[in-house]
Amino acid sequence: MPAPNVIIGAGINALVAAADLTARGKSVHIFERGPTPGGAVRTEELTLPGFRHDVAAMNLSMFAGSAFMAKHGAELAKHGVEFVPITRPFAQALEPGDHLGVTTDVEETLSTFHSEADKATWRSLMKAFPQRASVVGGLLGTPMRPSPLLKFFWKSWRVLGTAKSLEIAQFLVTSPRAWLEENFTDPRLQTALSTWGMHLDFAPDIAGGAIFPYLEAMGGQAMGMVIGKGGADTVTRALVSMIESHGGTITCNAEVDEILHKNGVATGVRVNGKEVEASTILAGLAPKHLLRMIGEDSGNTRFNKGLKKFKHAPGTMMIHLALNGPVPWKADALKAFAYVHIGRTMETASFAYAQASAGLLPETPLLVVGQPTAFDTSRTPEGKHVLWVQVRMVPADIEGDAAGEITAKDWKNAKNPMAERALDLIEEQAPGFRETILAQTVVSPLDLEKENPNLVGGDQICGSHHLNQNFLFRPVRGFADGRTPLNGLFMIGASCWPGAGTGAGSGTFVSQMIK
């Protein structure tokens, strides 16, 4: 009997790869070091009984629109996956009482704009969105291998022509600020869209970041957002059920200590001290952990060096709140949005990013406030709510406090005062907010890494997406298609192309390479 395909880790990419492989009759075994599968796509009672909080990922739009769902969605539905569509995906809380919101109703969106010229530009961008999205989205859905890339570029050029192709190429290397200032006049709108770049480590002035504000803005307007019914773990539970129904197995609390290889071929893994043979190995690991498990003798010095030099984004702090009622936003319309970003200007984001990158606790961190129970009441007892708060960005190693108020330089003692700083920003936008809090759980960047070592330094996107570490260079030039120098060993996960998010692109790409 041939050895199984072994997958290290049970994150979203690993589960998708396993589901696709087992559906094709392949033998698969997953080893997960944690007590439950799911990685960043889990939902747990983190504050009070009956209050279900998404541990990390909340937005499942990428998964719902993924190539995996297009292929296996009908079967996954039989295993219980269920989504909640959202027509008001995101808003920006600006000066207290002022907001700008994007909804699937164009007129409702434009009613929050202050500039007639910007309204006209928005309509023009929406008109061009289908064609441009098919190209940009097509690139994100293309494996970084010569043949698929050549086919993609040839097809795109035939549709667009030279001038439009060059325009899109220029757009892909443009910073958020440059693109926003070129297209819009209202600083409020520029701020609202630039915030999306921070989700993927793109402060306003970093080249290559314009694509994310564009896709989220236009995609949110055109299609809204999707979250999981009952929690993001609806995806995890359905994938596990699908895998097991096809004979795949998942072992949790299983620490992979080493990837075994001989003469340039991966042969198995050592799990909890025991050797397990494998026909192929899919490693859902951050680069530094992959290097640790294969050792320094992969057979390719450049590959080893690339894994060592792989850069992670600044950390994130999470605050999970159980509330007695909805957030009493000063701008009442904010109650109806899935995400509320809190940050008054692009400079707020720029300063926060620069301070965090310098090891300082930001004076005014950018907040991503998720309100899932505004749309999904099944997550809490009747009339109650959960709030999901990302504090972006914060340093993993604290050198000081930009505001000069927090003296602690270790997260054990700094996380609560830093959480209070974040809650102050919400209170400013929603007077009386603190009175609604029933319980809270604060998770520092180091807490995130302790629970999931792939989140190095609390980096929830598992590696910066800056241009030198994206596209053909993610995670290492020459190995952007998931292959490694060891035959039979593949890389999957957010550190691989096409990067972070719930779209599970790398798991899909690699599973299709295994015949």
Side-chain angles (χ1 to χ4, degrees), residues 28-103:
V28 175
H29 193 96
I30 299 176
F31 293 106
E32 165 58 44
R33 71 178 293 278
T36 57
V41 186
R42 290 181 294 116
T43 307
E44 298 178 358
E45 294 182 343
L46 296 174
T47 54
L48 296 171
F51 288 77
R52 288 176 53 77
H53 302 264
D54 288 338
V55 172
M58 181 184 119
N59 180 357
L60 298 180
S61 299
M62 290 177 68
F63 184 82
S66 68
F68 176 86
M69 275 297 288
K71 182 179 180 181
H72 296 290
E75 181 175 359
L76 206 61
K78 294 177 182 178
H79 290 278
V81 74
E82 192 173 357
F83 299 119
V84 177
I86 290 171
T87 58
R88 293 183 174 89
F90 73 93
Q92 185 84 20
L94 299 152
E95 292 295 325
D98 183 26
H99 82 286
L100 189 145
V102 172
T103 82

Side-chain angles (χ1 to χ4, degrees), residues 222-472:
M223 296 170 285
M225 183 186 288
V226 165
I227 62 172
K229 179 73 172 177
D233 69 342
T234 182
V235 165
T236 299
R237 289 182 283 108
L239 284 168
V240 169
S241 178
M242 179 178 169
I243 292 164
E244 293 177 341
S245 74
H246 288 291
T249 56
I250 302 173
T251 302
C252 292
N253 298 308
E255 184 84 47
V256 176
D257 308 303
E258 183 182 359
I259 295 172
L260 307 172
H261 55 93
K262 184 177 182 180
N263 299 325
V265 178
T267 59
V269 295
R270 183 173 284 110
V271 187
N272 293 339
K274 179 182 177 181
E275 292 189 8
V276 177
E277 188 180 358
S279 59
T280 61
I281 302 169
L282 282 66
L285 300 167
K288 81 170 193 176
H289 296 305
L290 177 61
L291 182 61
R292 172 174 55 83
M293 289 190 192
I294 63 176
E296 296 286 345
D297 56 343
S298 72
N300 189 298
T301 302
R302 182 165 57 80
F303 179 76
N304 291 358
K305 185 177 180 180
L307 295 184
K308 285 181 181 178
K309 294 179 66 177
F310 187 83
K311 298 294 184 183
H312 284 271
T316 298
M317 185 171 78
M318 296 294 304
I319 307 174
H320 300 284
L321 300 167
L323 304 183
N324 196 37
V327 178
W329 298 104
K330 195 169 184 179
D332 191 63
L334 291 177
K335 292 178 181 178
F337 286 88
Y339 278 164
V340 177
H341 293 138
I342 296 180
R344 297 189 186 188
T345 66
M346 275 202 288
E347 279 61 43
T348 301
S350 292
F351 292 149
Y353 186 86
Q355 289 165 352
S357 297
L360 301 177
L361 297 170
E363 182 175 6
T364 308
L366 182 75
L367 303 186
V368 185
V369 179
Q371 303 183 115
T373 43
F375 306 91
D376 178 15
T377 58
S378 69
R379 300 183 180 212
T380 58
E382 185 176 356
K384 310 303 181 185
H385 289 267
V386 294
L387 208 65
W388 176 99
V389 183
Q390 283 185 328
V391 183
R392 290 184 177 269
M393 305 280 194
V394 291
D397 300 312
I398 304 171
E399 297 292 334
D401 177 25
E405 298 168 349
I406 300 173
T407 57
K409 291 189 177 181
D410 63 288
W411 273 110
K412 180 180 178 181
N413 293 300
K415 71 178 181 180
N416 286 329
M418 190 62 195
E420 287 302 308
R421 179 173 296 174
L423 296 180
D424 283 345
L425 293 173
I426 303 177
E427 182 79 26
E428 184 180 37
Q429 298 284 347
F433 161 68
R434 273 191 170 84
E435 297 173 14
T436 69
I437 299 174
L438 298 172
Q440 70 182 46
T441 295
V442 181
V443 186
S444 78
L446 299 189
D447 293 333
L448 286 170
E449 182 177 10
K450 182 178 180 180
E451 182 182 56
N452 183 349
N454 281 342
L455 307 183
V456 178
D459 168 19
Q460 286 192 320
I461 60 174
C462 201
S464 170
H465 287 67
H466 294 179
L467 287 174
N468 67 326
Q469 201 168 270
N470 207 359
F471 300 105
L472 288 164

Side-chain angles (χ1 to χ4, degrees), residues 202-230:
F202 283 100
D205 296 297
I206 294 177
I211 183 176
F212 302 107
Y214 170 77
L215 288 177
E216 292 293 347
M218 297 294 104
Q221 177 70 82
M223 296 170 285
M225 183 186 288
V226 165
I227 62 172
K229 179 73 172 177

Side-chain angles (χ1 to χ4, degrees), residues 164-175 182 208 210:
K164 283 190 176 180
S165 296
L166 289 172
E167 179 186 330
I168 290 179
Q170 183 180 31
F171 170 67
L172 291 174
V173 299
T174 298
S175 72
E182 178 185 346

Side-chain angles (χ1 to χ4, degrees), residues 153-170:
F153 287 130
W154 172 250
K155 181 180 177 181
S156 298
W157 178 78
R158 291 193 66 181
V159 172
L160 298 174
T162 301
K164 283 190 176 180
S165 296
L166 289 172
E167 179 186 330
I168 290 179
Q170 183 180 31

